[in-house]
Amino acid sequence: MSDLPLSGQPPQRDDARPVPFRGGGFKPVRVRYLGAAVIVALILLVEWGTRTGVISNLTLPRPSDVLGTFHDLWVTGMLWEHLIPSVTRLAVGSALGVSTGIAVGVMIGLFSLARAGLVPLVAAIFPIPKIALLPLFVIWFGIDEGSKYALIALGTFTPTVVSTYGAVDNVDRTLIRMGQSFGLGWWSIVRKIVLPGALPGILSGLRIGLSIGIILLVAAEMLGARHGIGAYILEAGSLYDLERLFAGVVILSALGVLTSGVIGWAERRLLSWRI
Amino acid sequence: MDLHLDRISHRYGRVEVLSDISLTIPQGRIVCIVGPSGCGKSTLLRMIGGLERPDQGAVLQQGEVPGDCLNPLTFVFQDFALLPWRTVAGNVALVLEDHALPRAQRERIVADVLARTKLTDFRDALPKQLSGGMKQRVAIARALAVNPAVMLMDEPLSALDAQTRELLMDDLVALWTRAPFTAVYVTHNLAEAVRLGHRIVVLSRRPGRIREVVSIDTPLAERRAGDPALEAHQARLWQLMRDEAEAADMELSHV
Ligand SMILES: Nc1ncnc2c1ncn2[C@@H]1O[C@H](COP(=O)(O)OP(=O)(O)OP(=O)(O)O)[C@@H](O)[C@H]1O
Ligand SMILES: [Mg+2]
């Protein structure tokens, strides 16, 4: 009928060219070590700059000096003296805030009454700079650990509530209908369908919540604590001791990277069912 | 157990969806419901399954529910409704967990329904690893696990390609032949209706009323593609549906 090649023969004419590929991107892949490489490159740049004098010693401390300060912190045992109280405050405060936040968020997601009653309240609390409430918390919970726990708890509570009820709202309704149609109990539906379905949203809310927790931790420690990273940084700052100031800042960054890494690990473990 | 729909009418706001539907679903038979899009088939099915209340009329069940039946009215959904975080076996086990069954019996039921739906080799796979046809087989296995008195299927094969649909229809026929179950089967596909239905209920355009009930006496196992009697039924159903669809079009153009 015609002489069109029907089998897989490539055409003989020489103006044939491949169809341009347009399907790339928009799909995160895991690239290892690049994040670390960017940080290391920046540090090396600053080291080079301070050594050659391009960057004056008053603007930025030399990274190797900051490292030396770390070494001192380590050998004198001061590192643990500051780090342990800070980590404890962060852990206790955010555990309180996150657990009540998830509970309240799930209630708001499930009960119309809770939603109508609590959503405006949460919206009212969310934008308050929590650090402004510290004096109040000192009166309520005492100058010691209590007020710091309360501050961090409140700070992590609000973002957790908001992301949790958003996540519960987004759980696939057909799955809930399915549970009801098989006669599953209310508690079973919440535990086996609603909570796992909301977990991705809850975990990404946790990232924001814990970062806010770290910010508040430092703020609280700056306002009244003898030990803790915040107190350490404040003291270094008032003495213009840039090396120690930066050592403190590096510890905070490490804390941030660590929490984000833990959440990433939890996501990979718990959400491997996602497409 | 037989089901009787007694003069069911329903409206959503000002839209009348169903009007005066009376129908009997006899035990051990598959009743197919066909009708133009939007005529209220899914709504009717949700009412039969107790997920929604009709404005008027009632759905009545008559006769004993078998003793080992865990969930008399059981749905199979068009979009499968599998929990993506549970394995195949976990999805089936989900619907048994709220019943006080000995662990061994629970495991026996899961193994049995997975074998009946040919999924034994995939018991530890997650839904994301399965093809559409396999996902629907999991959903069917889950429905069989509670040993339903009536299966309520809303376009269970619509999300699948034609070949998979054929295979699954064969599977359904085989399952029914081994152990006849009662089912209400909503579909758009007339070939499915004449293949699986003992009775085919044709609904009119919205508001849905019963336009006609067609009975097909050929046993399910003997129905073959290309059977002239079936083709005649299908042609007749198609004529009815066409009239409704055309009338619906005319109505729209007069608005
Ligand atoms: N919850 C609801 N609220 C308001 N209107 C609804 C609701 N559910 C369905 N409807 C309307 O009722 C009518 C019937 O819907 P239904 O889903 O039962 O139709 P259907 O016959 O299953 O359609 P299809 O063949 O497209 O699946 C439609 O017009 C739909 O828009
Ligand atoms: Mg429908």
Side-chain angles (χ1 to χ4, degrees):
Chain A
M1 225 166 68
S2 81
D3 54 0
L4 282 174
L6 287 175
S7 57
Q9 293 295 321
Q12 296 307 309
R13 294 178 46 193
D14 48 357
D15 61 347
R17 57 202 180 279
V19 171
F21 174 65
R22 302 177 285 182
F26 300 103
K27 188 183 168 201
V29 287
R30 204 165 168 219
V31 183
R32 283 169 176 275
Y33 310 121
L34 184 59
V38 169
I39 293 175
V40 169
L42 263 180
I43 291 174
L44 287 180
L45 189 73
V46 174
E47 180 77 27
W48 171 82
T50 44
R51 274 185 194 278
T52 55
V54 177
I55 304 172
S56 103
N57 271 349
L58 283 177
T59 358
L60 273 182
R62 193 175 290 175
S64 49
D65 291 347
V66 176
L67 197 70
T69 314
F70 261 115
H71 184 245
D72 292 347
L73 273 175
W74 179 272
V75 291
T76 54
M78 290 296 276
L79 181 63
W80 302 118
E81 208 161 300
H82 290 298
L83 197 55
I84 287 172
S86 287
V87 170
T88 313
R89 287 167 190 150
L90 184 64
V92 174
S94 53
L96 284 173
V98 164
S99 53
T100 48
I102 291 176
V104 171
V106 169
M107 300 245 295
I108 290 177
L110 293 177
F111 302 112
S112 308
L113 272 182
R115 175 175 305 244
L118 295 178
V119 168
L121 183 65
V122 171
I125 298 177
F126 207 163
I128 300 176
K130 309 294 178 302
I131 195 70
L133 299 179
L134 187 62
L136 200 62
F137 284 171
V138 168
I139 298 173
W140 289 354
F141 302 107
I143 186 83
D144 299 328
E145 302 302 298
S147 55
K148 297 180 184 66
Y149 294 160
L151 188 73
I152 295 169
L154 186 65
T156 50
F157 171 78
T158 36
T160 310
V161 171
V162 172
S163 64
T164 301
Y165 83 71
V168 172
D169 286 348
N170 276 329
V171 173
D172 192 348
R173 296 291 121 175
T174 59
L175 294 182
I176 295 177
R177 271 281 169 89
M178 182 278 293
Q180 291 175 322
S181 80
F182 277 97
L184 299 196
W186 182 86
W187 179 233
S188 271
I189 292 181
V190 171
R191 211 158 35 98
K192 296 172 188 168
I193 300 179
V194 174
L195 283 181
L199 197 59
I202 294 176
L203 282 179
S204 62
L206 216 57
R207 277 182 196 277
I208 301 172
L210 289 184
S211 307
I212 293 179
I214 295 179
I215 295 174
L216 288 174
L217 165 75
V218 176
E221 286 177 345
M222 283 184 164
L223 289 185
R226 295 225 337 277
H227 295 293
I229 311 293
Y232 177 77
I233 292 180
L234 187 71
E235 192 193 313
S238 57
L239 298 174
Y240 262 84
D241 187 342
L242 287 190
E243 280 85 21
R244 289 176 61 196
L245 183 98
F246 265 77
V249 170
V250 167
I251 294 176
L252 289 180
S253 297
L255 215 55
V257 171
L258 189 73
T259 51
S260 149
V262 168
I263 292 173
W265 172 83
E267 280 178 339
R268 281 194 298 281
R269 280 289 311 272
L270 298 174
L271 305 181
S272 57
W273 48 269
R274 281 197 297 192
I275 292 92
Chain B
M1 184 178 82
D2 297 346
L3 287 179
H4 298 285
L5 313 193
D6 182 26
R7 279 169 295 156
I8 289 184
S9 301
H10 192 70
R11 46 199 324 145
Y12 285 119
R14 289 161 62 200
V15 185
E16 190 176 12
V17 187
L18 293 167
S19 164
D20 200 29
I21 305 247
S22 293
L23 182 68
T24 295
I25 296 141
Q27 177 163 1
R29 304 272 134 178
I30 300 181
V31 174
C32 289
I33 298 181
V34 297
S37 191
C39 74
K41 304 181 293 292
S42 302
T43 309
L44 187 62
L45 202 65
R46 286 200 295 275
M47 286 168 180
I48 299 175
L51 290 181
E52 208 161 326
R53 279 201 191 95
D55 286 347
Q56 282 157 41
V59 182
L60 307 169
Q61 40 185 30
Q62 191 180 47
E64 280 299 299
V65 173
D68 53 352
C69 167
L70 299 175
N71 188 47
L73 304 170
T74 296
F75 279 86
V76 175
F77 299 89
Q78 177 177 4
D79 52 4
F80 323 129
L82 301 178
L83 301 185
W85 48 86
R86 284 200 176 212
T87 61
V88 167
N91 266 288
V92 176
L94 172 78
V95 299
L96 301 173
E97 286 166 4
D98 275 20
H99 299 279
L101 295 175
R103 191 192 173 83
Q105 187 185 352
R106 196 176 294 167
E107 276 164 15
R108 203 165 55 238
I109 293 176
V110 173
D112 172 53
V113 294
L114 290 184
R116 275 156 73 190
T117 47
K118 296 179 256 174
L119 286 166
T120 306
D121 292 342
F122 300 95
R123 58 171 294 134
D124 296 321
L126 285 172
K128 68 171 178 182
Q129 298 166 300
L130 304 178
S131 68
M134 281 158 80
K135 284 184 198 162
Q136 194 57 292
R137 294 217 308 267
V138 178
I140 292 172
R142 178 177 64 187
L144 292 173
V146 291
N147 199 7
V150 181
M151 286 233 252
L152 305 171
M153 311 174 97
D154 192 355
E155 308 195 28
L157 308 185
S158 300
L160 308 174
D161 62 89
Q163 291 87 333
T164 313
R165 206 180 296 161
E166 282 296 327
L167 294 174
L168 266 172
M169 270 197 272
D170 288 343
D171 289 348
L172 283 175
V173 168
L175 282 171
W176 189 88
T177 313
R178 262 188 62 177
F181 53 86
T182 317
V184 183
Y185 189 107
V186 169
T187 179
H188 270 132
N189 184 321
L190 298 180
E192 277 173 38
V194 296
R195 184 75 198 285
L196 297 171
H198 295 97
R199 281 189 192 174
I200 299 163
V201 179
V202 183
L203 293 187
S204 69
R205 64 192 183 275
R206 204 175 63 209
R209 309 167 199 273
I210 294 185
R211 178 79 201 272
E212 188 148 336
V213 179
V214 176
S215 294
I216 304 183
D217 297 326
T218 322
L220 289 192
E222 290 167 22
R223 298 184 187 180
R224 297 277 172 271
D227 181 335
L230 292 187
E231 303 250 303
H233 280 301
Q234 193 172 335
R236 162 135 186 73
L237 290 170
W238 171 230
Q239 191 57 46
L240 289 167
M241 296 270 287
R242 243 181 96 126
D243 293 349
E244 287 301 329
E246 273 174 4
D249 261 2
M250 298 295 284
E251 270 175 11
L252 276 184
S253 57
H254 285 302
V255 171

